[in-house]
């Protein structure tokens, strides 16, 4: 099958969070299974010059004409890469914004991108199925069915749309309809209109042939008011075409047996070298070496409300009264950056913090910490907890979305389970679970068993890719009528 992916992030070119990992792992897995796969990305700053396959498209965005070129990069593991070269929109610092704010012209940027994706599908690389991700590409199905509907070349090409996060909708005032130049009939309650605004995500949910969410649990959750961010009625209406597919983990990059960024390699058969990784991590963050005797709690995250850091803030003092050290890496909302900085200033002996995006340190934390903390309020899938299990770094998570689907609570007596879970989204519930984790940590044989269980987990992309293929087939059947 020929599968064309469109997204705003994909490794190795662009990443701010898990979306970038998924758009590497899934295309790779499909290509390894013998399918023809291509990925379309914006040509962001730093991606470099690539050979031109179309020198100029003519794309109207509201009152202005734009003339992006389409470029192609070298294939990677059989996957082809096309880039939409519109310097006025993408040659900037940051993918979505800078200095903590969003770019004001994001609706224009991703409308242009979506239109260019459709032109690629028409003129450069005709797919059997198009697979779009999140609000930035949600206009692809809307445009295909609502504007290009007359074009027979697209009638049989299905669009599958994956929701990675319902909280990011691309929601703007009504004037955006005019700014992006979409016909007025799409400003309708059964299309893009949402409480008087324009909502890109809503359009994707309504116009795609099939929808997927990134875990089984999240596919259920987004149909409820609590997790639907206002669009639960829309996902409920489309529930017969909505499938939950858990992301995979890419063990060619996230594996302590051959991770190129960590101080020493180890595996389930021999974990002693993990202690070297722990010392290296403490050195890297200039923390006292004596912390290697303590349970080191690792955090690698976008610092946003979703991730539940307010729960940690609520019980920070009691947390650090326990015999633990904290290493945290992340960036995002200034208030969470300030919170972690404050924690490190108050307890430099126990807390190491780095604000920023640092892939190498992310790997060192996965390898060097004992516990990986993800107290998310909601989590569509979550990749970090899957990675941490492979490193024998035990996840402590709130039971939501993909965290609930992937972590099984530890039962020492039975020797079962892969981590720790709490249910109430409160600081005290988090603290109780941390204390329980510490009790288990002090019981060396129990902890060793827990590490073995976690390291034996296999969240493979092959399993997920097979499920996506099934959805692609079903979507094709829908289009074939
Ligand atoms: P989300 O997509 O919501 O951010 P995931 O757990 O799915 O959450 O994916 C997060 C990914 O981004 C992981 O690969 C993680 O290592 C990476 N990541 C998050 N923050 C940082 C950071 N500050 N530096 C390096 N990598 C990060
Ligand atoms: C989103 C979600 C995260 C998920 C990732 C990849 O960023 O927040 O839970 O793992 O997408 O699907």
């Amino acid at each position: 099958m020929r599968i064309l992916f469109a997204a705003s992030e994909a490794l190795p070119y662009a990443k701010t969070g898990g979306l970038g990992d998924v758009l590497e792992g899934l295309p790779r897995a499909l290509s390894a299974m013998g399918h023809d796969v291509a990925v379309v990305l914006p040509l962001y700053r730093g991606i470099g010059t690539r050979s031109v396959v179309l020198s100029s498209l003519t794309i109207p965005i509201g009152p202005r004409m734009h003339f992006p070129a389409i470029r192609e990069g070298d294939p990677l593991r059989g996957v082809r890469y096309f880039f939409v070269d519109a310097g006025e929109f993408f040659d900037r610092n940051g993918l979505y914004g800078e200095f903590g704010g969003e770019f004001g012209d994001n609706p224009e940027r991703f409308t242009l991108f979506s239109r260019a994706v459709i032109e690629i599908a028409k003129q450069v690389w005709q797919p059997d199925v198009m697979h779009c991700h999140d609000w930035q590409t949600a206009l692809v199905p809307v445009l295909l069915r609502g504007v290009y509907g007359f074009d027979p070349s697209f009638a049989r090409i299905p669009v599958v749309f994956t929701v990675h996060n319902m909280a990011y909708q691309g929601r703007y005032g009504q004037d955006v309809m005019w700014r992006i130049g979409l016909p007025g009939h799409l400003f309708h309650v059964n299309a893009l209109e949402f409480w008087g605004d324009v909502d890109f995500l809503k359009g994707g949910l309504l116009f795609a042939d099939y929808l997927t969410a990134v875990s089984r649990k999240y596919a259920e959750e987004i149909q409820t008011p609590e997790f639907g961010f206002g669009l639960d009625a829309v996902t409920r209406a489309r529930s017969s075409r909505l499938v939950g597919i858990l992301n995979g983990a890419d063990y060619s990059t996230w594996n302590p047996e051959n991770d190129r960024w960590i101080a020493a390699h180890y595996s389930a058969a021999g974990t002693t070298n993990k202690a070297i990784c722990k010392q290296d991590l403490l050195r890297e963050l200039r923390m006292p070496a004596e912390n290697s005797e303590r349970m080191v709690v690792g955090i690698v995250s976008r610092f946003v409300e979703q991730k539940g850091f307010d729960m940690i803030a609520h019980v920070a003092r009691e947390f650090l009264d326990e015999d633990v050290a904290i290493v945290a890496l992340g960036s995002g909302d200034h208030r969470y950056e300030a919170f972690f900085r404050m924690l490190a200033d108050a307890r430099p002996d126990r807390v190491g913090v780095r604000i920023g995006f640092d892939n190498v340190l992310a790997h060192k934390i996965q390898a060097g910490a004992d516990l990986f903390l993800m107290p998310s309020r909601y989590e569509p899938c979550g990749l970090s907890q899957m990675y941490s299990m492979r490193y024998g770094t035990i996840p402590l998570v709130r039971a939501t979305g993909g965290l609930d689907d992937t972590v099984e609570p530890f039962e020492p007596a039975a020797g079962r389970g892969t981590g720790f879970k709490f249910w109430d989204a409160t600081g005290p519930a988090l603290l109780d679970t941390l204390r329980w984790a510490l009790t288990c940590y002090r019981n060396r044989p129990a902890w060793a068993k827990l590490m073995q269980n976690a390291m034996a987990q296999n969240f493979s992309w092959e399993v997920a890719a097979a499920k996506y293929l099934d959805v692609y087939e079903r979507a094709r059947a829908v289009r074939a009528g």
Side-chain angles (χ1 to χ4, degrees):
M1 205 185 296
R2 281 166 74 89
I3 307 146
L4 183 65
F5 284 88
S8 57
E9 300 185 19
L11 282 174
Y13 296 108
K15 160 169 167 174
T16 67
L19 179 65
D21 301 50
V22 171
L23 268 290
E24 176 175 57
L26 178 57
R28 246 185 209 179
L30 288 164
S31 167
M33 291 161 91
H35 298 281
D36 291 330
V37 185
V39 178
V40 190
L41 279 171
L43 188 73
Y44 295 116
R45 176 170 295 174
I47 289 181
T49 318
R50 306 280 155 175
S51 62
V52 173
V53 287
L54 276 181
S55 56
S56 131
L57 291 169
T58 302
I59 296 185
I61 299 291
R64 289 219 181 85
M65 285 295 177
H66 293 259
F67 306 99
I70 304 303
R71 295 176 180 270
E72 180 167 10
D74 294 333
L76 300 174
R77 300 227 208 156
V79 179
R80 291 178 70 170
Y81 290 86
F82 297 109
F83 298 95
V84 177
D85 181 1
E88 70 278 27
F89 282 152
F90 300 122
D91 185 15
R92 300 180 184 179
N93 291 322
L95 270 50
Y96 312 119
E98 52 183 346
F99 311 123
E102 297 262 299
F103 294 129
D105 57 356
N106 276 344
E108 285 89 346
R109 297 171 78 223
F110 290 107
T111 301
L112 174 118
F113 180 62
S114 298
R115 283 198 182 257
V117 168
I118 292 172
E119 292 305 324
I120 291 170
K122 202 175 150 83
Q123 303 184 42
V124 182
W125 201 85
Q126 286 86 25
D128 296 316
V129 55
M130 296 172 79
H131 189 169
C132 299
H133 299 260
D134 278 356
W135 76 265
Q136 293 88 350
T137 55
L139 283 192
V140 171
V142 177
L143 289 164
L144 272 188
R145 308 301 174 220
V147 176
Y148 290 64
F150 62 88
D151 188 335
S153 52
F154 287 117
R156 283 179 176 270
I157 301 179
V159 183
V160 173
F161 182 69
T162 294
V163 182
H164 296 261
N165 199 324
M166 286 288 277
Y168 301 92
Q169 300 187 354
R171 184 172 169 178
Y172 304 99
Q174 184 181 353
D175 62 306
V176 157
M177 285 302 282
W178 170 83
R179 277 171 44 190
I180 61 180
L182 286 190
H185 74 266
L186 289 172
F187 193 71
H188 185 276
V189 65
N190 288 325
L192 291 168
E193 192 267 337
F194 185 55
W195 296 101
D197 288 338
V198 178
D199 192 310
F200 282 45
L201 183 67
K202 181 178 176 185
L205 295 173
L206 284 171
F207 282 79
D209 297 289
Y210 252 89
L211 305 175
T212 75
V214 288
S215 66
R216 184 196 54 78
K217 181 95 186 254
Y218 196 57
E220 285 170 10
E221 287 175 342
I222 60 176
Q223 299 179 52
T224 67
E226 188 184 354
F227 296 99
F229 289 89
L231 291 175
D232 47 293
V234 178
T235 45
R236 276 199 303 281
R238 300 229 56 209
S239 61
S240 65
R241 297 276 183 86
L242 168 62
V243 181
I245 301 178
L246 189 72
N247 290 328
D250 188 343
Y251 296 122
S252 66
T253 36
W254 296 97
N255 185 346
E257 290 176 42
N258 53 26
D259 186 323
R260 56 194 285 221
W261 308 115
I262 63 178
H265 292 145
Y266 61 93
S267 69
T271 57
T272 40
N273 276 354
K274 188 165 169 53
I276 299 176
C277 297
K278 189 170 180 177
Q279 285 154 6
D280 175 58
L281 174 63
L282 294 169
R283 250 195 321 274
E284 173 85 26
L285 287 169
R286 299 200 173 77
M287 294 167 72
E290 76 213 28
N291 281 307
S292 59
E293 302 302 317
R294 301 201 163 89
M295 183 168 85
V296 170
V297 179
I299 293 170
V300 178
S301 187
R302 294 183 296 119
F303 285 168
V304 291
E305 198 180 334
Q306 167 189 350
K307 303 292 179 178
F309 296 122
D310 54 315
M311 293 177 225
I312 304 178
H314 189 205
V315 294
R317 181 179 300 271
E318 294 90 334
F319 199 114
L320 283 166
D321 281 345
E322 299 297 333
D323 195 23
V324 299
I326 299 178
V327 290
L329 163 67
S331 65
D333 287 2
H334 294 316
R335 61 194 156 133
Y336 299 119
E337 293 184 358
F339 162 68
F340 279 107
R341 278 206 179 96
M342 185 269 293
L343 216 55
D345 286 347
R347 295 299 301 272
D349 56 325
R350 295 285 199 90
V351 181
V353 167
R354 186 166 302 164
I355 304 297
F357 191 91
D358 184 337
N359 183 47
V360 175
L361 186 58
H363 283 254
K364 284 179 185 280
I365 292 176
Q366 289 287 9
D370 298 296
L371 195 80
F372 194 87
L373 184 57
M374 273 179 97
S376 306
R377 293 192 166 273
Y378 70 93
E379 194 61 72
C381 176
L383 296 168
S384 290
Q385 84 283 6
M386 300 193 201
Y387 302 152
S388 81
M389 284 187 244
R390 183 50 64 103
Y391 286 79
T393 301
I394 305 304
L396 191 168
V397 304
R398 198 171 89 77
T400 181
L403 298 176
D404 201 19
D405 282 355
T406 54
V407 178
E408 193 195 339
F410 184 46
E411 296 171 38
R416 290 184 40 199
T418 54
F420 302 98
K421 269 196 212 185
F422 66 102
W423 277 260
D424 287 348
T426 65
L430 163 61
L431 191 62
D432 277 352
T433 314
L434 176 82
R435 287 180 174 141
W436 165 232
L438 253 179
T439 307
C440 296
Y441 181 71
R442 291 188 185 117
N443 178 345
R444 290 292 152 160
W447 194 264
K449 173 69 183 151
L450 175 54
M451 282 175 65
Q452 289 296 322
N453 292 353
M455 293 178 87
Q457 295 301 301
N458 186 6
F459 301 100
S460 87
W461 267 119
E462 288 68 38
V463 172
K467 292 185 179 163
Y468 277 109
L469 281 170
D470 183 48
V471 171
Y472 300 156
E473 290 295 358
R474 281 193 261 166
R476 288 175 85 185
V478 168
R479 276 283 129 200

